[in-house]
Amino acid sequence: SQQGEEDPQALSIQEGENATMNCSYKTSINNLQWYRQNSGRGLVHLILIRSNEREKHSGRLRVTLDTSKKSSSLLITASRAADTASYFCATDLIYNQGGKLIFGQGTELSVKP
Amino acid sequence: NAGVTQTPKFQVLKTGQSMTLQCAQDMNHEYMSWYRQDPGMGLRLIHYSVGAGITDQGEVPNGYNVSRSTTEDFPLRLLSAAPSQTSVYFCASSYSIPGENSYEQYFGPGTRLTVT
């Protein structure tokens, strides 16, 4: 079964609005990562938050992590049409070996100009 | 650097045929993985490798073989293709940061496989 579950599955907003995506997971993690996938392309790493961190920023991205609730959120502020893509959370399980991320099903974000 | 490259981009197979999906990276990453992506399922790990000569199974390994004879290459072999293996396949590589458990992954562009 999937380690990460994302909510919502699809999100449609207007340009300039903020977009929030949520990810829940089941077992203890080393870190949680967010990736973006444009249609027909490979995934691109956006941001990584470690299990001992609660919040991290990168440009217009803000990620939070609540290990007590086993959940994370990705906030994209002042969205642009170019942010239209699918967004995936991925967990790096504790005691994991490298290269073994577990991905959620993704949130499909549509930003209308 | 070319990053992670995958060939072919598209492939159509008949049921029962075998083929190898190629993956190569030029970043000297020790870790490499294969995922398949199906609609509504996200990415599921097929096989991964933590270094040359070392491979292990992921969530959905059945019907696939891998080997890692060099750091650069990590081919995925379909032994006898089945329609259930119709999917988009992604190869990824990553490296460890000394003293940290952080493995950011770099993905290839994918191979779209159809089995009829």
Side-chain angles (χ1 to χ4, degrees), chain A residues 31 33 35 45 48 50 92 97-101, chain B residues 1 4 25-33 49-51 68 71 92-107:
Chain A
N31 63 70
Q33 303 177 30
Y35 288 79
H45 181 265
L48 180 153
R50 296 185 179 85
D92 181 6
Q97 291 181 303
K100 201 174 180 183
L101 293 181
Chain B
N1 286 352
V4 180
Q25 53 94 6
D26 61 359
M27 297 173 283
N28 203 32
H29 287 174
E30 64 256 55
Y31 306 113
M32 296 186 75
S33 308
S49 170
V50 300
R68 183 103 180 265
T71 300
S93 71
S94 60
Y95 64 98
S96 61
I97 301 171
E100 298 189 21
N101 286 325
S102 301
Y103 305 101
E104 168 189 340
Q105 296 208 348
Y106 295 76
F107 281 81

Side-chain angles (χ1 to χ4, degrees), chain A residues 11-53:
Chain A
L11 179 61
S12 182
I13 59 174
Q14 295 293 131
E15 215 167 22
E17 293 180 338
N18 295 342
T20 299
M21 290 158 263
N22 303 296
C23 171
S24 61
Y25 58 93
K26 297 175 184 174
T27 58
S28 297
I29 61 172
N30 283 322
N31 63 70
L32 186 143
Q33 303 177 30
W34 286 90
Y35 288 79
R36 183 182 77 194
Q37 183 181 35
N38 288 88
S39 181
R41 309 292 292 270
L43 279 73
V44 174
H45 181 265
L46 293 176
I47 195 165
L48 180 153
I49 186 165
R50 296 185 179 85
S51 59
N52 61 354
E53 297 175 317

Side-chain angles (χ1 to χ4, degrees), chain B residues 12-50:
Chain B
V12 178
L13 291 178
K14 293 190 186 327
T15 296
Q17 286 184 317
S18 62
M19 80 158 295
T20 299
L21 307 185
Q22 300 292 343
C23 174
Q25 53 94 6
D26 61 359
M27 297 173 283
N28 203 32
H29 287 174
E30 64 256 55
Y31 306 113
M32 296 186 75
S33 308
W34 275 102
Y35 297 87
R36 60 176 288 174
Q37 184 176 31
D38 302 292
M41 299 289 290
L43 278 80
R44 290 181 293 170
L45 183 65
I46 305 171
H47 285 286
Y48 69 101
S49 170
V50 300

